Every structure is written in C-alpha cells, then in structure tokens.
Amino acid sequence: MDAVVTPSLAPLITALRAAGYTVVGPTVKDGAVRMAEIESAAELPAGVGDAQEPGAYRLTERDDEMIFGYAASPDSAKRWTQPPRLTLVRARGEEFEEVEPEAPRVALLGLRACDLAAIAVQDRVFLGRHPDGAYRRRREALFLAAVNCAVPGGTCFCASMGTGPKATAGYDLAITELASPHRFLIEPGGDRGAAVLAAVPHGPATDCDHAAALEVSRTAAAHMGRSVDVSGVQQWLPAAHDHPRWADVASRCLSCTNCTMICPTCFCTTMEDITDLSGDVAERSERWDSCFTLDFTELGGAPVRGTALARYRQWLTHKFATWYDQFGVSGCVGCGRCVTWCPTGIDVTEELTCIR
Amino acid sequence: MTPAPYRVRSRRPDRADTVTLALEPLRGPSPAFLPGQFDMLYARGIGEIPISMSGRGRTGAHVHTIRAVGAVSDALCRARPGDVVGLRGPFGTSWDVPAAAGRDVVVAAGGLGLAPLRTVVRELAAHRRRYGRISVIAGTRTPMTLLYPRELTRWRLAHDIDVHVTVDHPDQDWPGPVGPVTRLIDRIVFEPRRTTAFVCGPEAMMCAVADDLVRRGVPPARVVLSLERNMKCAVGRCGHCQLGPLLLCLDGPVLDYRRVAGLLSVREL
C-alpha cells in the first residue's frame, strides 16, 4: 500500500479503536506532554510546543494548530514494552506459580524515530540470548504509529546517533504532519498498518505531499539542539576510565536516577518480594532499577561502585560503549531526555566531548 | 523466571554461620550442572540470591554451601530437611576441568571460594591419573572458619593431592601458615607452563593469586577465576552483574584471567 494523505487523525483513532486497540497518544498533563489513553483527536496537543534545554522543560504555545509540534515527551514506549512494575511469581505453600503478565493491545500514537530505535534496542536486550516470552507478547500486541519529527528539541541529537529524525523501520504507520494546508501523510510499514489505514478515508499522496514530507525531515535534521561525535566511542570511552572529567561530572551528579528512569533503553530491574498479612502468599515483582543507586552492586554488604564517579562512569560507558559488546548496538538513541530531565543539567553530549 | 520447588534433602552445618544444603526437585530429575555454575535460590517471600554448587548429591541433588550474610542467605541457612525452597538454574559458565588433563593443577581458594571449587577437586580426584601434580591451597579467616576440614584431609591422604591451608587469624593451637593465600604458592610444586589454575575467593585475593601465578609463568588463559557480582535475574536482563563489557551471569562467573585482568584492575568498575 502506498502512502496516503488525510486531513485529520480522527478517523485513524476510530479505526485503531475499532481494531481493538487502546489508543495511547500525546496529551497535555502535569505541565508536560504525557502519553495517555485518548478517545478522540480533540485530546491531542494542538498548538502546543515545548522548550527543552539541559535541566529545563516547559510547554510553549505555538501560533498554529500543529499537533506534533513538540519534541520528545518524558514518556517513551518503555512504559508499555517494559512496564515499571510486573508481578512475575506467586508462591503459595510449596508451589510457585508463574504470573502471566498482561499483554494489552495498545496503539502508541506519536512515537518518534528515536523511540522506534529504542524499541529496536530493547528487542535486542529482551529477545537476545535469553528471550523473554512476556516481553515478546507485549511487543507483538503493540501497534506503533510513529510521527516523523518536525521540531527537534534543544537537547535532541538523534542525527548524531543515526537514529532519526525520520522513521525508517520498525513502525506500523509513519505519519508526517504537514502545514498549509494542515494534513497528514501516512505510510504503512507492513500489512498490519495497511489494514488499519484501509479503514481510514484518505486520498493518494501527491509528489508535492512527498516533497513536503521530505522537507520536514530535512529541516528537522538541520535543527538538532545538540550534536556529538561518537566515532570510535566503543574503543576510547572504556579506555578513558582515569579521565579527570569523571570527577568533575560526579561533583554535579546527584545520583537521583532521573536519567535512567527517563531513558527509553535503560532496562535495569530489581526484584521485590512481599507477603500478604497471613504470610501464606508471597509475590515476586520486577521493577525498574537504576545503576545510580548505592545498593545496585551490593556485594557482601558493601557496594562495588560506592562513589558517584564510578556510577556515572558505569552509566555513560555502558550506554555508549559496552552496550555494543553486550547487544551489538549503541544504548543511546539521541532522544535527549536524560539531558532535559537531569536536575543539574548534565549533558551527555558535552561530557563525551570533554572526555574524548 | 519462576523458581521450581526443591526440597531440602539434607542439611549439614559447616561452621557457626555456614551450612551445606542438598536440594532435590519436588518433581522430576535434578538438572545436570558443571563445576562453577550457579543456581538462583529463592527463600519464599524474602528474596533470591545466586549460589554456586558445592557438590552433587548421589541422586543428582544440587548441593550448596551457604554463609548467612543477609536476609535471604540467613533464611536459606535456617531451612530444615523437608523444607521447600525455590531454585532456578543452573546458570553461567563452568570450569573446564577435563581440559586440564595432562597438566599440573593449582586450585586456590579464599574463604567461601572453596565451596564452588570443591566440585573441581572432586572431579580431579575422580580421574586422578589424568592429571599431573594437583595442589589445593586455601585461605580462611580463622581455623574455626575452615570449610570441609575432613574432606581436605581425605584429598591429601586418599588422592595424592597436595593440600595447604593458611589462616588470617591463628589461635594458639594452629600449627600451620598464617597470611594470605599467595604465601602458599611457594610451598607447592608445579611446572608453570604446564599448569592450569582454578581460583575462587574475594576479588583482591583472586587478583593477587592470578598475578603471582602469571609472574611465575602460568599462561593467563590458564588461570581461571570465578567472579562474583550482585545478580537478580541470571539471564542477562537486570543489569546488576555488569563488569565492563561483561554480563557475569551469562559471560561468567567463570572467566580466564587473560579476559578479565584489565577489567579487575579498574577500581569500582
């Protein structure tokens, strides 16, 4: 199926809901663009933009009705691919039963190319050497309606990481929002996307529409808020473990874990065990964890990485270098979330540039 | 990620804070394992920890020697015969004992590190004639914390294994050497280039022993360590056991010194 043009996303949302998906899209909530369940196109953030800088995020008003006129939302797809908390095991007496985690049919509307790249990274983590069946079920139940980024934020650097701003793979639908007249060019990424699109009233995309869409991605690529040279990073970063910059960044890092919680690829988890009041039933749950916490590496009562220096070095080195050793790909997709949401504005692109 | 229920077949207190448990599945046969591999042991409602196997029972039971150092190990140490605990495993890499055939073998243990190495020595002893000189050197805090004292004597007397033990803090009856395990290397005889070493213990001890052996000419690839890190999942997804590029639950715990010497030399890696 070829690309199509439609003047509104309302029929697409209707079609996705008719196909049995809960539609999760961008909404304005808590002073930010948050991904939440929506029932109609009226809930989308028309005319909302954002300003993102190291340690700063605020919504702005746009002077148009563009729906996707903001950069990366604090919510990535991780919340749905790897939920923050999952109950895995229920133990009664001598029996341990597996709790089948739910795999809800959710259509994620408005993911960016960086988010699709992050999902591809997660696929390598969870479907690699020890495939996780529950992850696979959740992943297969997700419908990915991506949006080609029009306005990268002040902390974005996907162009440096080769992951955006145009979505090239891993989507069911890729939408490009076009102005004057306001319309959406939609490309299906496979049969599933095409089937949904067939239920949406549309016209064919003209050469002019295609050219306009290409211009959106070209302009976005030229307006990245940040850039970083990561050539050879797999070699030089692990070798730089004695670099004085680590102490400098550690003096600014609060070990607050924000960067890891907001990161679309950080996958670390811990286990929590609870019992009911009677003690008859015990549950094991998995929840997001962070390599910035002191007990993350605890061994015999003491942490292996007891200093903020060692923890920051571990995170940055893993993200940009040793991730390749483990999963054959960079752990960073250049979404800039860790830069925006760091309370002290630590900028990974700046740190890498200084350490190089 | 769901543990299977295992019954405590036997429980033997080794020392004041250490017990050896033989665990058998409630249903089906015990899965096979290799020396150096570990299980995730689950104390119901409390938590799960990685423990290397310290032996194989007659019926294939997974034998673990556990020291009570935290909530989970404490609960496991208190388990009684007949109690049920959870078990996932075996996981991880193993010591390739048969590959040491025809060579001298040095087994170096620090503290609880003797537990996983017991599976190595038992395999060496079972096929004694395949190997050259075999030496076991072990360090322990005090004479009272030495694991398997009777078995150490049996290895010496029945299997022609050269066994030496050193303690950090001797009591007035201790007749043997005092100090780190590396001091024992002078007491044993081996031909470095034809030697394979199996090493387990605290990281600093392993590095000291490995450095010493390599300095004497043992090839770094033939000095094989078992590394320890915090583990939650054992299948490479929780991130806790990273050592630089390695995920120790999958790439380890057993790794040769050629591969890890550089990583272990970085503080807090």
Side-chain angles (χ1 to χ4, degrees):
Chain A
M1 188 177 183
D2 293 332
V4 305
V5 166
T6 168
S8 162
L9 291 181
L12 175 63
I13 293 169
T14 304
L16 286 168
R17 286 164 61 85
Y21 291 104
T22 298
V23 179
V24 168
T27 62
V28 172
K29 196 177 147 193
D30 307 331
V33 173
R34 301 293 310 270
M35 294 292 279
E37 182 177 347
I38 57 169
E39 294 182 355
S40 75
E43 296 167 73
L44 295 169
V48 173
D50 61 13
Q52 299 194 34
E53 291 301 330
Y57 175 103
R58 69 175 189 280
L59 293 182
T60 58
E61 279 183 32
R62 294 175 60 93
D63 54 8
D64 57 26
E65 283 302 296
M66 298 296 270
I67 287 169
F68 301 105
Y70 58 87
S73 148
D75 293 317
S76 69
K78 184 164 85 171
R79 194 166 287 279
W80 289 271
T81 52
Q82 188 198 4
R85 181 180 293 269
L86 284 169
T87 299
L88 301 180
V89 181
R90 195 164 290 124
R92 296 171 207 273
E94 297 184 344
E95 295 302 323
F96 308 112
E97 75 185 57
E98 181 179 352
V99 179
E100 284 268 311
E102 285 181 25
R105 278 167 66 84
V106 170
L108 295 174
L109 170 63
L111 297 180
R112 307 305 168 100
C114 57
D115 293 321
L116 295 176
I119 294 173
V121 172
Q122 288 192 309
D123 286 352
R124 286 177 177 243
V125 172
F126 293 108
L127 301 175
R129 289 199 268 178
H130 270 269
D132 178 346
Y135 173 86
R136 189 188 296 280
R137 285 199 305 282
R138 281 194 300 277
R139 193 58 188 81
E140 287 170 353
L142 284 184
F143 185 100
L144 306 179
V147 168
N148 284 319
C149 202
V151 283
T155 59
C156 289
F157 56 102
C158 67
S160 296
M161 301 310 296
T163 54
K166 185 171 168 50
T168 56
Y171 54 80
D172 292 304
L173 296 174
I175 302 167
T176 311
E177 186 175 27
L178 303 172
S180 57
H182 190 214
R183 63 202 189 282
F184 303 89
L185 181 138
I186 310 180
E187 299 162 82
D191 293 345
R192 195 162 64 161
V196 168
L197 207 49
V200 176
H202 60 259
T206 65
D207 287 349
C208 176
D209 297 323
H210 281 292
L214 275 178
E215 186 58 20
V216 166
S217 293
R218 200 195 61 76
T219 307
H223 288 86
M224 288 284 132
R226 292 270 181 294
S227 71
V228 61
D229 178 6
V230 288
S231 56
V233 67
Q234 195 187 347
Q235 285 73 41
W236 61 255
L237 188 55
H241 48 72
D242 291 327
H243 198 284
R245 185 72 183 185
W246 295 121
D248 181 273
V249 66
S251 73
R252 289 172 280 135
C253 174
L254 306 176
S255 290
C256 73
T257 80
N258 258 20
C259 52
T260 50
M261 295 294 118
I262 203 97
C263 177
T265 66
C266 271
F267 59 85
C268 289
T269 53
T270 189
M271 291 286 190
E272 276 184 355
D273 294 272
I274 54 160
T275 51
D276 65 359
L277 284 176
S278 68
D280 295 336
V281 182
E283 280 186 356
R284 301 212 79 203
S285 300
E286 178 188 282
R287 68 161 173 79
W288 290 355
D289 199 358
S290 171
C291 57
F292 281 94
T293 61
L294 203 54
D295 63 357
F296 188 81
T297 56
E298 190 186 51
L299 204 56
V304 171
R305 292 189 279 273
T307 61
L309 185 159
R311 293 194 292 277
Y312 191 85
R313 186 179 63 188
Q314 158 66 23
W315 179 69
L316 196 75
T317 308
H318 184 221
K319 189 65 55 184
F320 284 88
T322 51
W323 207 292
Y324 282 102
D325 299 293
Q326 295 165 359
F327 306 109
V329 66
S330 174
C332 177
V333 296
C335 70
R337 288 182 175 97
C338 60
V339 187
T340 298
W341 294 94
C342 173
T344 63
I346 294 171
D347 175 353
V348 289
T349 66
E350 183 188 348
E351 298 311 316
L352 287 170
T353 304
C354 289
I355 293 164
R356 190 185 186 98
Chain B
M1 297 298 282
T2 309
Y6 274 60
R7 196 174 299 288
V8 178
R9 166 90 184 201
S10 68
R11 174 187 192 274
R12 193 189 71 197
D14 286 294
R15 287 298 180 236
D17 58 354
T18 308
V19 302
T20 294
L21 302 179
L23 303 173
E24 284 178 348
L26 255 53
R27 289 175 287 275
S30 283
F33 64 88
L34 295 163
Q37 288 195 292
F38 67 94
D39 284 330
M40 296 298 293
L41 297 187
Y42 169 59
R44 189 172 161 282
I46 298 173
E48 198 179 42
I49 49 170
I51 301 281
S52 295
M53 271 68 91
S54 63
R56 184 183 284 106
R58 267 192 293 278
T59 56
H62 287 207
V63 177
H64 301 84
T65 300
I66 307 163
R67 179 165 290 165
V69 292
V72 184
S73 54
D74 199 45
L76 291 168
C77 282
R78 280 188 277 107
R80 298 281 151 187
D83 286 355
V84 169
V85 301
L87 187 150
R88 294 190 289 133
F91 294 112
T93 55
S94 58
W95 275 294
D96 190 350
V97 182
R103 302 171 65 84
D104 289 348
V105 179
V106 174
V107 176
L112 206 57
L114 187 58
L117 285 170
R118 184 166 74 155
T119 57
V120 170
V121 181
R122 285 182 169 186
E123 189 168 327
L124 291 167
H127 307 282
R128 179 66 189 89
R129 273 180 293 178
R130 289 183 195 168
Y131 304 94
R133 283 171 291 239
I134 300 177
S135 310
V136 173
I137 54 177
T140 185
R141 264 177 296 158
T142 70
M144 285 309 295
T145 56
L146 180 64
L147 291 173
Y148 324 127
R150 282 203 298 273
E151 195 161 355
L152 288 166
T153 305
R154 193 160 68 244
W155 293 341
R156 183 185 291 134
L157 299 178
H159 298 289
D160 184 27
I161 294 174
D162 191 22
V163 178
H164 295 270
V165 176
T166 179
V167 302
D168 294 326
H169 307 290
D171 57 22
Q172 55 192 13
D173 300 324
W174 178 250
V178 174
V181 181
T182 41
R183 293 231 182 118
L184 298 178
I185 295 175
D186 287 336
R187 295 178 174 238
I188 58 176
V189 181
F190 58 99
E191 193 183 318
R193 273 181 296 280
R194 285 188 55 250
T195 292
T196 296
F198 301 108
V199 189
C200 187
E203 214 158 283
M205 167 267 170
M206 288 196 289
C207 287
V209 168
D211 284 340
D212 214 359
L213 291 171
V214 168
R215 223 177 356 255
R216 284 165 196 240
V218 181
R222 296 287 193 165
V223 178
V224 194
L225 321 178
S226 177
L227 300 176
E228 194 183 8
R229 279 292 184 278
N230 196 341
M231 291 180 193
K232 300 287 183 186
C233 75
V235 291
R237 296 189 217 130
C238 76
H240 285 256
C241 68
Q242 291 180 62
L243 175 65
L246 305 174
L247 289 165
L248 287 183
C249 66
L250 299 179
D251 302 311
V254 176
L255 287 151
D256 73 62
Y257 198 53
R258 181 182 51 183
R259 191 144 177 226
V260 299
L263 301 173
L264 293 177
S265 70
V266 181
R267 212 173 146 257
E268 292 192 295
L269 190 64

